[in-house]
Amino acid sequence: MLGVTVSSGVFVLVGAVFLACAVEMVEALTIVFAVGHTRGWRSATEGTVVALVALAALVAAFGPTLVSVPLNVLRLVVGGVLLIFGMQWLRKAILRSSGLKAKHDEDEIYKETVAELSAMSTSTDRDRIAFVMAFKGVFLEGLEVVITVLTLGTSAHRLGLAVVTAGVAIVVVGIVGIIVAQQLSSVPENAMKMAVGILLVSYGTFWTGEGLKVHWPGGDTMLLGLVGIYVVITFLYVTWLRSSNPLRISEVSA
Amino acid sequence: MKQSSLPIRLLKGFAMFWWDFLVGDTPEIFVAVLVIMGVVALVSVSGHAHSAGAAVLTVLAVLALGASVWRAKRAVKK
């Protein structure tokens, strides 16, 4: 029983952290590639490294603080944040799947960033614009990774596992990204976002309940039940939107 | 115009980040989650419905997601 309980929680935690980090890494990598190819790799790399150091400092500063917060309070706050965050992701993924919202196009973002950077004047040795663009891209996407890792990891009392999973996701996407450079659009980003949304909403629902002393039938195993419920609901919402929406945004505009 | 001091700008930036992160262009989700927490807290405080709280929480979350999707669908139609 304990084995089942632990493994279901770990399974959802690892899945949510890995997919969320992979999606954010794809977005950050697109910006860094665009900056590197257009303005040179030196400043792009420097901006990326400084952003990663700043993010590591944030984790070091807030990680231990979060661990010392009473578990019920932490789970209620984190549950609420994850419920909001997860619903936002899931809503977007449902709208994209049903054609009501244009899909996230990494190729288009890459081209737009390259065009924007090419139009700016180039300076000499150190390129401030390239540094700032790479820093902002990595820091902002990374901040979402940090929030996901800290909230999921501390609430499940498995911060170490969450950090390792995030690290693996970042390395895997980084290696794949370098190999297939400029083909990040082939990553099924919407499907991944939908999976992350479902996992975050499931965790958010579960921990909001835990924080409010709700009794979940089956204990922690109910987390998998919630995942199943949200998978079915997502499918139903997409089907409803597709059947009742003859006008598809993705068909009329990019 | 006088520029704000660094701590004020950092504070504003921090507040803006959380506002965008939690509210952004879907304020209905933010409000719905607060309402859900309030309703489930009331159900739990009543003391006799801890199991009912699980059902209420899940159903309200599903309905909130549906309402937000429906709102987006209406906005597209307009």
Side-chain angles (χ1 to χ4, degrees):
Chain A
M1 178 69 192
L2 188 66
V4 172
T5 301
V6 170
S7 61
S8 61
V10 168
F11 171 75
V12 180
L13 173 73
V14 169
V17 170
F18 187 90
L19 288 175
C21 294
V23 168
E24 299 303 340
M25 180 67 179
V26 167
E27 293 180 8
L29 216 52
T30 304
I31 297 167
V32 173
F33 278 160
V35 174
H37 280 300
T38 322
R39 314 278 298 197
W41 287 100
R42 182 179 171 172
S43 298
T45 310
E46 285 173 353
T48 304
V49 170
V50 173
L52 290 175
V53 170
L55 289 167
L58 272 180
V59 175
F62 290 105
T65 315
L66 279 177
V67 171
S68 63
V69 175
L71 196 57
N72 265 355
V73 177
L74 185 69
R75 286 189 165 172
L76 181 60
V77 174
V78 164
V81 170
L82 287 179
L83 207 45
I84 293 169
F85 195 33
M87 275 196 204
Q88 289 171 347
W89 275 51
L90 197 49
R91 172 185 175 275
K92 241 181 236 175
I94 288 171
L95 294 175
R96 283 181 175 143
S97 284
S98 58
L100 275 168
K101 191 174 170 68
K103 288 199 173 162
H104 203 259
D105 187 343
E106 299 303 339
D107 278 348
E108 200 55 42
I109 292 168
Y110 181 86
K111 281 177 197 160
E112 279 172 16
T113 312
V114 166
E116 191 186 334
L117 287 167
S118 301
M120 294 171 183
S121 61
T122 333
S123 58
T124 51
D125 228 12
R126 277 204 154 69
D127 191 336
R128 194 170 160 267
I129 293 168
F131 178 88
V132 171
M133 286 285 281
F135 177 84
K136 268 177 73 177
V138 174
F139 188 76
L140 290 178
E141 303 299 345
L143 209 51
E144 293 197 28
V145 169
V146 167
I147 290 169
T148 308
V149 169
L150 285 182
T151 52
L152 287 171
T154 47
S155 294
H157 267 211
R158 289 179 184 278
L159 186 57
L161 178 66
V163 171
V164 170
T165 307
V168 171
I170 288 166
V171 169
V172 167
V173 176
I175 291 170
V176 173
I178 289 165
I179 293 169
V180 301
Q182 291 185 34
Q183 289 173 12
L184 290 169
S185 59
S186 57
V187 175
E189 201 182 334
N190 198 54
M192 284 167 73
K193 273 197 166 163
M194 188 173 274
V196 174
I198 288 169
L199 293 175
L200 293 183
V201 170
S202 303
Y203 250 124
T205 306
F206 186 80
W207 279 332
T208 301
E210 290 277 291
L212 293 169
K213 299 190 192 311
V214 158
H215 172 73
W216 291 106
D220 284 4
T221 315
M222 187 57 197
L223 199 49
L224 285 180
L226 286 170
V227 173
I229 290 170
Y230 284 117
V231 167
V232 173
I233 292 298
T234 301
F235 173 75
L236 290 176
Y237 282 151
V238 171
T239 308
W240 165 58
L241 287 179
R242 279 184 179 164
S243 63
S244 64
N245 173 44
L247 180 70
R248 302 279 170 87
I249 282 292
S250 53
E251 288 166 9
V252 286
S253 66
Chain B
M1 204 166 88
K2 196 183 168 189
Q3 203 176 17
S4 316
S5 62
L6 183 65
I8 298 291
R9 273 185 286 148
L10 286 176
L11 206 63
K12 275 185 185 168
F14 185 72
M16 280 303 294
F17 169 77
W18 280 103
W19 176 266
D20 284 342
F21 189 71
L22 295 176
V23 181
D25 55 357
T26 52
E28 74 277 7
I29 289 179
F30 179 75
V31 173
V33 169
L34 291 183
V35 171
I36 290 169
M37 287 170 128
V39 171
V40 177
L42 283 177
V43 171
S44 292
V45 164
S46 69
H48 60 273
H50 279 191
S51 294
V56 170
L57 174 54
T58 310
V59 169
L60 287 181
V62 167
L63 290 177
L65 179 64
S68 181
V69 167
W70 177 75
R71 185 172 170 257
K73 181 176 173 261
R74 276 189 60 195
V76 169
K77 274 191 173 175
K78 280 178 187 172

